[in-house]
Amino acid sequence: MKALGRLWPLGIRLQLMLWYSVVFASLMGLSGILFYLRFQTTLAGSLDTALQLQAQQVAGDITEERGVLSIQDATADLPGFDTAYQRAHVPPGDVNLGVLVRVLNGQGVPFRTTPAFRTLLVPAQSVTQPLHGVPWQGTITTVDGQPVRLYSRALTQDGQIFGVVQVATSLTEVQATLHDVLIDLLFITPLILMLGALVSFWLAGRAFAPIHRLTRTARIIKGGDLRQRVPLPRAHDELRHLAVTLNEMIEHLEQAFLRQRRFVADASHELRTPITVIRSKAKLALLQVFTAEEYADVFQTIHNEAERLGRLISDLLALARADDGQVRLEEEAIRFDLLVEAVVGAVDMVAAQYQVTVEVTATEPMRVRGDEARLMQVVMNLLENAICYNNAGGQVFVSVQARQGQALLVVRDMGIGIAPEHVPYVFDRFYRVDPARIHTPGGNSGLGLSIVDWIVKAHGGSVTVESQAGEGSTFTVALLLCWSREEGSSSEQAPQKSERNRK
Amino acid sequence: MRILVAEDHPALGPDLKKGLERCSYVVDLVADGEDALALGLTTSYDLMILDILLPGLSGLEVCEHLRNRKRRMPILFLTALGEVDQRVRGLDVGADDYLAKPFDLLELEARVRALLRRRSEEKTTVLHFLDLTLDTRTHEARRGERLIPLSGKEYALLEYLMYHPRQVLSRTLIAEHVWDVDAEHLSNIVEVYIRYLRTKLCAAGEPNLIHTIRGSGYQLKEPEP
């Protein structure tokens, strides 16, 4: 019972074996039956042909002259082939040994009969039908029940029927042969089936060998070694497809793992820097007596670094939650041009601090659908970036235009620019073109552009950068325009949402 | 106003969050006591709504811990344990209010409003500051007789300012009370919303009430002469 429990549900190998066996068994059964039937008809057919030939031979040896039949040649020499009246003196023979021939005259009276023929139960029709010119053929029995095949035909001379010849042969032997064949089939079929089952079990095992290899490699990888790859089978089949897919998955995992490791390393570095500053400033202040102004300076530095840390941690948290897919974005129709203008208005203090002017060169009314606060952050981060990496006295140009169903926000600065080798990485987390710039006052966390990238992508848009070292950079955000005027309808929030558009 | 809801029921928790968000509150939802305590210790919520039977720590333990650590935000127990001695115990560990399940969402909202104005001088649903009024029940803002249409976020921001008149509120503090845990990092756009609000409040040429205090934050106070 327990062993049965282990087997059920059946493993794929056993299932395959069972299926193979069922199919094999039905094919074998079908072909066995066909073979047997065909063999039977062939045997019966050849028997009948032999009987007809024999009858013809006998008929050829019999002639009639004025109502008297005479037999010549070989037929006359058949043992015990005598006249009817002699039959009492000769005992009837065995149907399986003797020749079974009988000749009757035109009145249907037996003329000559071999001894063995006398044991047959001959139907009257087998005599009357040939007398009317139609040969008769059928299976009859002896007195003791053995099957016998009988053929009767008319004896003719010059188109006149003058008698009947009947030949018969025992079917016992044929039936014994058929019986033997049937026994053989019934014995051999299960043997072959068992052999087939074993072979199919073995074949199924062979078919799964590559899968076992995949499993072994996967187990090693599970152990933490992401550099491993599963071996590719040479044939271009389903297994190779599986192996390729697995390898791609491992590749992605490895990449993600490396990114994660780099991210953690970068993050701890970024976190350590402000903490080092705070610690050393505090230590300094504890060790020696300062004037009130000097203390104020120390506290200001500590405060600034703490702010940096706070912002860094919030940004990290935001990105981590975004990676988890936990962040739910609002969806409302927003006047994007007004949003950009409002954000430009809000950065004037930072801009003044860096002696940079921000100028809106072009806007046109347009709506996009999305999360207002987060889109503000996109614009804010791009502007802060453009301001921080600008030269003193520099300018930032902002434009918002509708182009081919997209809202295009372009933020161009005239700052230090980005060298071509750094351009592909500017949206990477903590990627800094110039590590020395790490301490820009204003506390850029190094995550601003990553957050821009995430938010824009979450809105189904794209952000690109073009840059020339020394001449400045141009960031372009493309968002899908929203044409409908159903603002507020999508929002589950307060009805106030409907007055979203201000002027 | 930012509210922490600790409720482990898989349907009731999100429903509460949605219901309270419809009133322009910011809601963080947690499903166990330890998370509730951790968030309660690190975030200055305006109100906490705790279930008592929570996995991890019970609501009573969370409340006790918070009070021992001098966290003074209003706490409301929302629980199926409705017997008199259970209510007494809940209020005695330091809760401000006790609402037994089943409850009506409208009653919960009213109690939330009452708890939020507990520390304010206003004792009705309408907040006043000079000629500015804000109805916390209907979300109507008026400057004198003029009705001011507000978006959800603008309402939340104005409500927070009006509960703390004349206090200097930093951007981080405002962001903490107007955005949930997913959006705390948005503090750098508080300025944008302040500008929206200022524009709306002064749309008919009235004097400005929301002042920027350089380097510190914002303050709702009388217009400068």
Side-chain angles (χ1 to χ4, degrees):
Chain A
M1 215 41 223
K2 223 174 172 184
L4 203 69
R6 262 208 311 280
L7 282 177
W8 196 263
L10 288 178
I12 189 153
R13 204 172 159 184
L14 276 175
Q15 276 189 43
L16 271 179
M17 186 192 86
L18 270 182
W19 276 112
Y20 281 145
S21 303
V22 167
V23 171
F24 202 41
S26 21
L27 284 178
M28 278 204 60
L30 197 68
S31 59
I33 290 166
L34 282 178
F35 167 76
Y36 183 78
L37 289 176
R38 175 94 189 120
F39 187 62
Q40 201 179 25
T41 25
T42 311
L43 272 185
S46 59
L47 200 76
D48 284 349
T49 315
L51 276 179
Q52 284 166 22
L53 276 174
Q54 202 187 349
Q56 201 167 358
Q57 212 177 346
V58 172
D61 289 347
I62 299 172
T63 49
E64 188 241 7
E65 215 167 314
R66 273 164 285 148
V68 181
L69 304 180
S70 57
I71 300 171
Q72 302 104 28
D73 300 338
T75 310
D77 301 333
L78 284 171
F81 196 39
D82 280 325
T83 48
Y85 59 87
Q86 284 176 316
R87 93 179 58 142
H89 312 289
V90 183
D94 184 346
V95 285
N96 292 313
L97 298 176
V99 181
L100 303 168
V101 180
R102 180 163 78 157
V103 178
L104 301 101
N105 65 14
Q107 285 73 49
V109 179
F111 170 60
R112 292 288 164 82
T113 309
T114 58
F117 198 97
R118 281 182 224 139
T119 61
L120 303 184
L121 300 170
V122 184
Q125 209 189 0
S126 68
V127 177
T128 51
Q129 193 175 307
L131 280 176
H132 289 93
V134 184
W136 190 90
Q137 184 168 299
T139 303
I140 58 174
T141 55
T142 60
V143 281
D144 52 357
Q146 294 186 63
V148 171
R149 191 77 180 162
L150 176 72
Y151 178 72
S152 309
R153 56 164 288 183
L155 293 167
T156 52
Q157 194 167 312
D158 306 329
Q160 287 287 309
I161 295 172
F162 66 88
V164 173
V165 60
Q166 296 187 310
V167 290
T169 184
S170 166
L171 285 176
T172 313
E173 202 177 326
V174 172
Q175 285 194 334
T177 311
L178 281 173
H179 186 253
D180 286 351
V181 168
L182 190 66
I183 294 292
D184 286 353
L185 280 177
L186 288 180
F187 259 108
I188 290 170
T189 307
L191 272 177
I192 291 181
L193 273 182
M194 268 171 62
L195 203 67
L198 286 176
V199 169
S200 55
F201 190 67
W202 176 72
L203 276 178
R206 256 185 74 89
F208 286 117
I211 292 186
H212 282 306
R213 279 201 292 279
L214 290 185
T215 314
R216 263 202 304 279
T217 317
R219 195 165 289 146
I220 296 176
I221 291 163
K222 197 182 79 183
D225 187 359
L226 282 171
R227 284 166 308 176
Q228 291 274 345
R229 293 291 180 273
V230 298
L232 290 185
R234 249 174 293 159
H236 286 259
D237 55 6
E238 290 84 351
L239 277 175
R240 190 184 167 91
H241 194 63
L242 175 66
V244 168
T245 313
L246 271 179
N247 277 344
E248 282 169 1
M249 195 185 78
I250 301 164
E251 175 84 33
H252 274 124
L253 278 178
E254 191 187 12
Q255 290 294 330
F257 195 66
L258 286 177
R259 254 199 325 271
Q260 193 67 24
R261 198 147 55 183
R262 209 184 67 211
F263 180 68
V264 170
D266 289 346
S268 48
H269 174 75
E270 295 281 333
L271 290 169
R272 205 176 285 141
T273 314
I275 288 194
T276 312
V277 175
I278 291 174
R279 198 188 275 157
S280 62
K281 280 281 176 192
K283 192 90 190 163
L284 206 65
L286 285 172
L287 283 179
Q288 57 193 88
V289 179
F290 280 159
T291 63
E293 277 154 39
E294 281 170 328
Y295 276 125
D297 187 48
V298 166
F299 286 132
Q300 188 59 53
T301 312
I302 290 176
H303 175 77
N304 289 348
E305 292 302 320
E307 285 284 306
R308 269 175 72 79
L309 265 180
R311 185 158 172 193
L312 186 61
I313 290 168
S314 315
D315 283 354
L316 278 175
L317 204 65
L319 281 173
R321 291 178 74 88
D323 286 349
D324 278 2
Q326 285 184 15
V327 177
R328 187 194 48 168
L329 295 177
E330 308 276 339
E331 248 198 58
E332 44 185 325
I334 300 157
R335 275 290 294 272
F336 191 54
D337 53 321
L338 298 181
L339 180 146
V340 172
E341 280 178 3
V343 179
V344 169
V347 294
D348 55 0
M349 283 208 323
V350 188
Q353 204 182 330
Y354 282 83
Q355 299 168 338
V356 170
T357 51
V358 181
E359 197 181 317
V360 179
T361 55
T363 62
E364 47 190 282
M366 70 184 74
R367 266 170 238 274
V368 298
R369 184 168 281 282
D371 187 307
E372 185 182 51
R374 290 199 162 78
L375 288 177
M376 279 181 189
Q377 202 183 24
V378 166
V379 184
M380 180 66 88
N381 285 0
L382 287 176
L383 285 176
E384 282 184 348
N385 198 65
I387 291 168
C388 289
Y389 290 101
N390 219 315
N391 301 312
Q395 278 178 297
V396 174
F397 301 102
V398 181
S399 70
V400 197
Q401 280 162 310
R403 290 274 180 283
Q404 292 155 354
Q406 287 187 313
L408 286 188
L409 163 72
V410 180
V411 178
R412 185 158 66 86
D413 68 59
M414 301 171 66
I416 53 176
I418 308 163
E421 67 266 28
H422 296 301
V423 169
Y425 306 107
V426 290
F427 294 108
D428 283 9
R429 292 167 191 191
F430 292 123
Y431 193 83
R432 279 179 198 280
V433 173
D434 177 8
R437 280 234 161 201
I438 200 158
H439 250 79
T440 46
N444 202 322
S445 67
L447 294 171
L449 290 179
S450 308
I451 290 177
V452 167
D453 190 49
W454 159 60
I455 296 174
V456 171
K457 279 184 182 150
H459 280 81
S462 66
V463 54
T464 51
V465 59
E466 283 170 54
S467 189
Q468 203 93 54
E471 289 180 24
S473 315
T474 306
F475 285 86
T476 308
V477 172
L479 294 168
L480 276 183
L481 279 178
C482 143
W483 296 103
S484 62
R485 307 223 145 224
E486 33 152 13
E487 63 268 25
S489 65
S490 70
S491 155
E492 63 210 43
Q493 296 206 339
Q496 293 94 326
K497 274 278 152 69
S498 51
E499 308 101 26
R500 176 76 280 142
N501 318 293
R502 66 207 91 219
K503 185 67 223 181
Chain B
M1 297 287 125
R2 186 161 164 191
I3 301 175
L4 178 82
V5 175
E7 170 61 67
D8 63 328
H9 190 285
L12 181 60
D15 281 354
L16 276 175
K17 180 171 159 79
K18 225 177 266 173
L20 290 168
E21 278 176 347
R22 212 176 296 123
C23 306
S24 289
Y25 298 121
V26 179
V27 181
D28 292 333
L29 176 67
V30 294
D32 75 73
E34 280 164 24
D35 286 354
L37 182 60
L39 276 176
L41 287 173
T42 52
T43 314
S44 55
Y45 286 102
D46 298 293
L47 173 68
M48 291 180 84
I49 299 177
L50 300 177
D51 190 1
I52 287 184
L53 299 174
L54 284 171
L57 292 173
S58 81
L60 294 171
E61 286 170 306
V62 173
C63 179
E64 240 176 330
H65 277 293
L66 287 172
R67 294 308 187 212
N68 287 342
R69 306 274 190 92
K70 303 281 176 271
R71 297 300 191 281
R72 284 159 44 195
M73 71 277 273
I75 292 178
L76 183 151
F77 278 124
L78 186 63
T79 169
L81 306 176
E83 300 297 321
V84 173
D85 53 338
Q86 287 161 337
R87 290 165 189 261
V88 169
R89 176 131 188 263
L91 292 170
D92 281 350
V93 296
D96 297 90
D97 202 353
Y98 199 103
L99 187 56
K101 294 176 190 170
F103 62 94
D104 191 302
L105 191 62
L106 288 177
E107 184 183 353
L108 177 70
E109 285 170 10
R111 282 175 189 259
V112 165
R113 281 194 293 273
L115 287 169
L116 288 176
R117 67 175 175 254
R118 185 165 282 198
R119 273 189 283 173
S120 131
E121 285 168 19
E122 305 278 359
K123 290 300 167 207
T124 65
T125 59
V126 183
L127 303 171
H128 295 270
F129 188 81
L130 302 181
D131 57 342
L132 183 62
T133 54
L134 186 67
D135 192 324
T136 57
R137 200 168 50 83
T138 61
H139 290 192
E140 269 181 6
R142 283 174 194 278
R143 190 94 196 249
E145 283 306 302
R146 183 170 67 89
L147 189 66
I148 305 168
L150 293 177
S151 75
K153 271 287 165 271
E154 289 160 356
Y155 170 81
L157 184 57
L158 185 60
E159 186 190 34
Y160 186 66
L161 289 171
M162 289 191 71
Y163 269 122
H164 303 89
R166 297 186 190 86
Q167 289 179 31
V168 178
L169 305 167
S170 76
R171 288 201 315 200
T172 320
L173 196 62
I174 293 175
E176 265 183 22
H177 289 270
V178 177
W179 278 290
D180 59 17
V181 67
D182 282 339
E184 267 180 303
H185 65 292
L186 295 173
S187 67
N188 61 345
I189 57 160
V190 168
E191 170 73 14
V192 186
Y193 277 107
I194 291 279
R195 278 168 180 257
Y196 277 175
L197 202 53
R198 214 180 258 155
T199 315
K200 284 192 175 177
L201 295 186
C202 307
E206 297 97 330
N208 180 30
L209 297 177
I210 306 172
H211 302 272
T212 305
I213 312 298
R214 270 195 84 122
S216 307
Y218 305 94
Q219 186 182 23
L220 185 70
K221 72 168 190 198
E222 288 75 8
E224 274 152 19

